[in-house]
Amino acid sequence: MGILPLKDWWYWIIESIVFTTICLVLTRWRSISKRISYFYAIVSLGIVELVSLGINHSFSPVSVAAATLGLFVIAMFEEQRFYSEKKNEQKIKLLEKESERDDLTGLLNYRALSQEINRLDNNNEIHNIVIGALDIDHFKKINDTYGHFVGNEVLNYFSTVFREQIHSAFPKHGYVYRFGGEEFTIVVSNHSLEEVYQLLQSIEKFFNNKSIVTKERMKLTISFSCSLTDRLNDEALNTTLKRADKMLYGIKNNGRGWIVTDQHHQRPRKTSSERKINSNY
């Protein structure tokens, strides 16, 4: 097109101001996606340039081509860049999701538990949080007697049952985490401790009445110990979790097979001759 004379510098300033204003408006337009904002910005740049050419009476095939075809090429590159960024974001999200899952059971892991605790700590819409610590009874004996492959089957079976029951009873408010080894954690929000306690009783009956059939056709009946506690007012959830964990170790040290809460709910599966557990922690 040739070079515009310096006396027309004010055209360049006006073009820059108009285009910058359009871009600022687009960045604050929250109802449209970034992809659409890019497209509008490129179209706006073309319109501003064409209006400027019209004011200067500089229309020509070359100038129009520069204002349209050139911007079309830029739009194509922007679309490709956006697609690549989107694909990378999806890969990152997938990796983050996989890093929050236990490889063996598919349950959320301790990292995901820590993130959920932080999220719930900062959520003012949550009115009650129940945390439970669980342990498969005598799991070491299962590993020593039948081997680790059978032990893994037991872990998967136990995890599947708990995940399905918790998610079904408390959709979007109840989650199961593998804390480590044969220990698990459940976190239920916006539901009472009594509701969680009743569900665990039904799960306990399920395990009592239905044996695990391994791939080698062995039948095993498992049980679990569990401690349940509520978050106190203004209490950090890490403190609540530690209290539940301490309660669980009290159960394991005094005879297993109990569902215990710090509200004195107890339901023994042991004989009457065995000593009851004090649930005050």
Side-chain angles (χ1 to χ4, degrees):
M1 290 190 299
I3 301 175
L4 290 174
L6 291 177
K7 64 181 180 66
D8 295 330
W9 61 269
W10 60 276
Y11 284 119
W12 309 340
I13 300 298
I14 292 175
E15 281 187 28
S16 300
I17 292 174
V18 171
F19 184 62
T20 301
T21 303
I22 292 173
C23 289
L24 288 173
V25 171
L26 290 173
T27 57
R28 286 168 172 75
W29 194 352
R30 303 298 182 185
S31 61
I32 61 174
S33 66
K34 187 182 294 185
R35 184 180 186 181
I36 300 299
S37 294
Y38 281 146
F39 175 77
Y40 284 169
I42 293 169
V43 171
S44 300
L45 180 59
I47 293 173
V48 169
E49 183 62 27
L50 289 174
V51 170
S52 176
L53 290 174
I55 294 173
N56 288 318
H57 304 289
S58 301
F59 275 119
S60 69
V62 175
S63 63
V64 173
T68 55
L69 296 179
L71 292 177
F72 177 74
V73 172
I74 293 174
M76 291 180 58
F77 278 107
E78 281 294 312
E79 178 67 18
Q80 184 61 39
R81 185 184 64 81
F82 181 85
Y83 176 76
S84 298
E85 285 184 357
K86 191 78 173 177
K87 197 170 182 179
N88 289 335
E89 286 176 4
Q90 291 174 347
K91 288 181 180 179
I92 291 171
K93 287 180 180 179
L94 179 61
L95 290 172
E96 289 176 347
K97 186 176 181 180
E98 289 177 348
S99 70
E100 294 176 357
R101 291 283 174 181
D102 175 61
D103 292 336
L104 177 61
T105 63
L107 291 178
L108 295 165
N109 57 22
Y110 183 78
R111 177 183 177 182
L113 174 61
S114 299
Q115 292 177 349
E116 178 68 4
I117 284 177
N118 290 332
R119 186 186 69 83
L120 291 175
D121 266 332
N122 299 312
N123 191 336
N124 296 325
E125 297 180 359
I126 302 297
H127 58 74
N128 189 60
I129 299 174
V130 177
I131 291 184
L134 300 94
D135 186 283
I136 300 176
D137 294 330
H138 308 294
F139 183 74
K140 185 177 184 302
K141 185 177 180 181
I142 294 175
N143 271 337
D144 292 343
T145 304
Y146 303 103
H148 290 283
F149 287 103
V150 172
N152 288 344
E153 288 188 59
V154 170
L155 285 172
N156 276 316
Y157 178 78
F158 182 86
S159 302
T160 300
V161 171
F162 253 94
R163 179 173 55 231
E164 290 176 351
Q165 293 293 324
I166 293 292
H167 287 186
S168 176
F170 313 114
K172 298 183 179 180
H173 292 284
Y175 298 93
V176 186
Y177 304 83
R178 188 181 180 193
F179 198 80
E182 70 274 22
E183 295 185 9
F184 301 82
T185 301
I186 58 173
V187 178
V188 180
S189 58
N190 289 344
H191 289 273
S192 68
L193 186 145
E194 183 64 31
E195 289 178 276
V196 181
Y197 177 74
Q198 294 297 330
L199 176 65
L200 291 180
Q201 282 189 316
S202 68
I203 297 176
E204 172 196 42
K205 291 178 183 177
F206 176 87
F207 283 125
N208 284 339
N209 297 328
K210 187 169 183 178
S211 300
I212 301 174
V213 180
T214 69
K215 294 178 181 178
E216 298 177 356
R217 312 307 300 171
M218 292 184 293
K219 288 187 177 182
L220 301 174
T221 301
I222 63 172
S223 64
F224 65 91
S225 302
C226 179
S227 60
L228 290 174
T229 186
D230 282 295
R231 180 175 69 168
L232 303 178
N233 291 335
D234 300 322
E235 179 182 52
L237 275 176
N238 270 320
T239 303
T240 313
L241 179 61
K242 289 177 182 177
R243 183 167 62 252
D245 195 52
K246 183 179 178 182
M247 289 170 59
L248 179 61
Y249 274 89
I251 298 171
K252 294 167 69 174
N253 291 333
N254 290 276
R256 302 171 186 246
W258 296 73
I259 301 173
V260 177
T261 80
D262 49 7
Q263 294 183 358
H264 300 283
H265 291 289
Q266 294 185 353
R267 188 174 187 277
R269 294 198 295 270
K270 305 296 182 180
T271 62
S272 58
S273 62
E274 290 182 309
R275 181 163 60 90
K276 290 186 177 181
I277 301 172
N278 181 3
S279 62
N280 282 322
Y281 292 94

